């Protein structure tokens, strides 16, 4: 069965520091999709990125970058030069091509301290 | 564009009462889903639908019913509310009839069962 583990429950860093959020997944499918979502204090859920299992290229979007490594079943998220507005709960998620369900990790609460 | 609309935003129920959480999307998305968010548990899938007339169970379906008579609407029914159903509920939709693309979430419904 598919599984997503976000081992870091809560992280605090000082503004401008870099921070990496870990995501480890389990799947038996060869075709699958990985996601990151952000939930700021206001409560809405915002899509950040989607990756399919055949695309291991790392992605960078401004201060955000994602490192996908099939060898370690990880899809980690790094924020460079963090800002207070990055404070949120971040969820990693996995869906399999052979299934119609998406499974979320338990989330990592990130505090950026001014 | 309205996107995904959930009503109500807040609700207090007494144990044993029934109610329906409404979810509507105006993006012609095939895939719709319901999640509950509890502290430390992340987002857990309750029920999902890959298209009108088709529904299926997620991780935590007990105590909830759904139907999908139209593409736009996906109501979630609590049959006999219990305190364990106190949670924040999110509805989401995706472009295709799978969860393998970006999900658009509603604003959430905060439900308290007393």
């Amino acid at each position: 069965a598919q599984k997503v583990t976000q081992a870091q429950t809560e992280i605090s860093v000082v503004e401008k520091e870099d921070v990496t959020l870990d995501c480890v997944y389990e799947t038996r499918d060869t075709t699958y999709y990985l996601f990151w979502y952000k939930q700021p204090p206001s409560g809405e859920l915002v899509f950040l990125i989607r990756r399919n299992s055949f695309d291991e290229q790392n992605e960078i979007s401004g201060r955000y970058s994602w490192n996908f490594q099939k060898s370690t079943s990880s899809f980690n998220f790094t924020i460079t030069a963090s800002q207070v507005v990055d404070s949120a709960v971040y969820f990693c998620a996995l869906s399999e091509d052979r299934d119609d369900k998406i499974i979320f990790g338990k989330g990592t609460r990130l505090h950026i301290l001014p | 564009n309205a996107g995904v609309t959930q009503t109500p935003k807040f609700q207090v129920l007494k144990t044993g009462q029934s109610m329906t959480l409404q979810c509507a999307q105006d993006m012609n998305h095939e895939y719709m889903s319901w999640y509950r968010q509890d502290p430390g548990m992340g987002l857990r899938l309750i029920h999902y639908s890959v298209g009108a007339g088709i529904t299926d169970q997620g991780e935590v379906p007990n105590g909830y019913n759904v139907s999908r008579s139209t593409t736009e609407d996906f109501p979630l029914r609590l049959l006999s509310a219990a305190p364990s159903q106190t949670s924040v509920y999110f509805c989401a939709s995706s472009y295709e009839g799978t969860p393998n693309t970006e999900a658009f979430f509603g604003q959430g419904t905060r439900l308290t069962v007393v």
Side-chain angles (χ1 to χ4, degrees):
Chain A
Q2 63 203 105
K3 185 178 178 181
V4 175
T5 301
Q6 295 181 255
Q8 304 151 308
T9 305
E10 202 158 344
I11 301 174
S12 294
V13 300
V14 177
E15 199 173 17
K16 297 183 184 175
E17 288 185 353
D18 299 346
V19 57
T20 295
L21 309 183
D22 297 333
C23 174
V24 174
Y25 62 91
E26 294 178 28
T27 178
R28 293 183 181 177
D29 208 347
T30 55
T31 304
Y32 53 90
Y33 303 84
L34 294 161
F35 303 81
W36 277 95
Y37 287 87
K38 174 181 180 180
Q39 186 177 42
S42 52
E44 75 270 24
L45 284 148
V46 178
F47 167 82
L48 294 178
I49 190 171
R50 165 186 177 261
R51 257 290 178 261
N52 73 55
S53 53
F54 299 107
D55 184 2
E56 283 193 79
Q57 236 182 343
N58 290 334
E59 175 127 356
I60 298 174
S61 176
R63 297 183 296 104
Y64 293 175
S65 62
W66 291 269
N67 180 264
F68 177 26
Q69 290 198 331
K70 288 174 78 170
S71 60
T72 56
S73 297
S74 64
F75 186 44
N76 296 337
F77 172 32
T78 297
I79 302 174
T80 302
S82 59
Q83 300 176 2
V84 172
V85 293
D86 297 325
S87 296
V89 181
Y90 291 87
F91 292 99
C92 181
L94 164 71
S95 65
E96 296 173 331
D97 200 45
R98 63 176 183 176
D99 200 357
D100 290 324
K101 298 176 187 173
I102 181 168
I103 300 300
F104 283 79
K106 294 184 178 181
T108 297
R109 184 177 296 276
L110 178 63
H111 300 278
I112 308 298
L113 308 171
Chain B
N1 287 343
V4 179
T5 303
Q6 284 183 242
T7 55
K9 286 189 170 51
F10 301 94
Q11 183 71 49
V12 178
L13 284 180
K14 292 183 179 178
T15 297
Q17 285 185 319
S18 62
M19 79 157 295
T20 299
L21 306 185
Q22 301 291 345
C23 176
Q25 51 92 8
D26 61 357
M27 298 173 283
N28 204 32
H29 287 174
E30 293 293 328
Y31 189 89
M32 295 188 74
S33 51
W34 276 102
Y35 303 86
R36 60 177 290 172
Q37 183 177 17
D38 302 293
M41 300 299 291
L43 289 160
R44 292 183 292 171
L45 181 65
I46 304 172
H47 285 286
Y48 63 95
S49 169
V50 299
I54 305 169
T55 63
D56 209 341
Q57 297 181 349
E59 301 171 83
V60 288
N62 292 342
Y64 308 95
N65 273 356
V66 291
S67 60
R68 186 93 181 271
S69 55
T70 67
T71 298
E72 295 77 21
D73 300 299
F74 191 44
L76 177 73
R77 296 184 187 85
L78 280 71
L79 308 173
S80 177
S84 60
Q85 293 179 303
T86 293
S87 188
V88 180
Y89 292 84
F90 287 96
C91 178
S93 69
S94 305
Y95 292 122
E96 303 170 355
T98 74
N100 299 334
T101 58
E102 173 188 354
F104 293 79
F105 285 86
Q107 292 296 306
T109 296
R110 185 173 293 274
L111 176 69
T112 302
V113 183
V114 297

